[in-house]
């Protein structure tokens, strides 16, 4: 019985640890990208202030900034959906839980699934190329059915 309890706790702990590690890794990666973008913007602004404007660099920075902000929306949604699950799994026992704790755990699992459902909408909303491809596909689909 003690080994089973330890194994169950171990799985719960490992699951919580893995989710937390993934969240921390992605947050760190996006923060690094964001700060690199900020550094590059300052660098370009300094060149423009010195009278060395470069249209190509400015356009690339603008596109990169837009891509980073779009990715941050996806990242923020990921954190909002996965963080409650990680917290609940870390703080609640696997065995012998009350009905309210069980319902909270089920709700956080639903948030995990919700994240997967929200991602396509976020991509369509924030990324023009994806939105155009979806529109084209839908037009082809509905034109064939008529």
């Amino acid at each position: 019985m003690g080994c089973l309890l330890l194994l169950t706790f171990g799985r719960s702990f490992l699951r919580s640890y893995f989710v937390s590690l993934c969240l921390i890794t992605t947050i760190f990666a996006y923060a690094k990208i964001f700060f690199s973008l900020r550094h590059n913007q300052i660098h370009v602004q300094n060149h423009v202030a010195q009278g060395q404007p470069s249209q190509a660099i400015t356009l690339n920075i603008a596109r990169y900034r837009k891509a980073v902000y779009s990715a941050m929306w996806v990242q923020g949604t990921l954190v909002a959906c996965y963080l409650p699950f990680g917290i609940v799994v870390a703080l609640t026992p696997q065995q012998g839980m009350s009905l309210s704790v069980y319902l909270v755990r089920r709700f956080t699992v639903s948030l995990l699934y919700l994240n997967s459902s929200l991602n396509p909408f976020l991509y369509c909303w924030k990324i023009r190329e994806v939105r155009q491809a979806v529109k084209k596909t839908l037009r082809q689909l509905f034109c064939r059915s008529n």
Side-chain angles (χ1 to χ4, degrees):
M1 179 74 170
C3 290
L4 181 60
L5 182 63
L6 182 60
L7 182 62
T8 303
F9 173 75
R11 276 193 223 147
S12 175
F13 176 76
L14 286 176
R15 196 174 336 159
S16 176
Y17 177 75
F18 183 72
V19 168
S20 300
L21 182 64
C22 289
L23 283 174
I24 289 169
T25 302
T26 57
I27 289 169
F28 177 75
Y30 279 112
K32 185 146 177 72
I33 290 169
F34 182 77
F35 289 122
S36 295
L37 173 64
R38 177 69 82 202
H39 174 74
N40 287 338
Q41 278 181 310
I42 292 169
H43 183 71
V44 168
Q45 287 172 353
N46 288 340
H47 279 289
V48 170
Q50 294 173 358
Q52 303 169 349
S54 173
Q55 187 72 17
I57 292 174
T58 306
L59 287 175
N60 285 340
I61 293 291
R63 277 188 85 189
Y64 186 63
R65 180 190 324 141
K66 187 174 180 182
V68 168
Y69 282 118
S70 296
M72 290 185 90
W73 271 96
V74 173
Q75 174 67 20
T77 305
L78 179 102
V79 170
C81 291
Y82 273 76
L83 191 60
F85 175 76
I87 291 170
V88 167
V89 167
L91 298 179
T92 60
Q94 188 75 16
Q95 301 289 323
M97 62 180 105
S98 67
L99 178 61
S100 60
V101 171
Y102 175 78
L103 291 174
V104 167
R105 285 180 74 116
R106 292 293 100 204
F107 176 75
T108 60
V109 169
S110 297
L111 279 176
L112 297 179
Y113 293 131
L114 177 66
N115 180 62
S116 299
S117 300
L118 290 175
N119 280 341
F121 295 107
L122 286 172
Y123 289 134
C124 285
W125 175 44
K126 297 302 289 179
I127 303 172
R128 184 182 55 187
E129 293 85 4
V130 173
R131 187 171 49 249
Q132 289 172 345
V134 168
K135 286 179 183 178
K136 180 180 175 184
T137 303
L138 289 174
R139 272 190 226 115
Q140 290 174 348
L141 180 68
F142 288 121
C143 287
R144 286 184 188 164
S145 64
N146 289 338

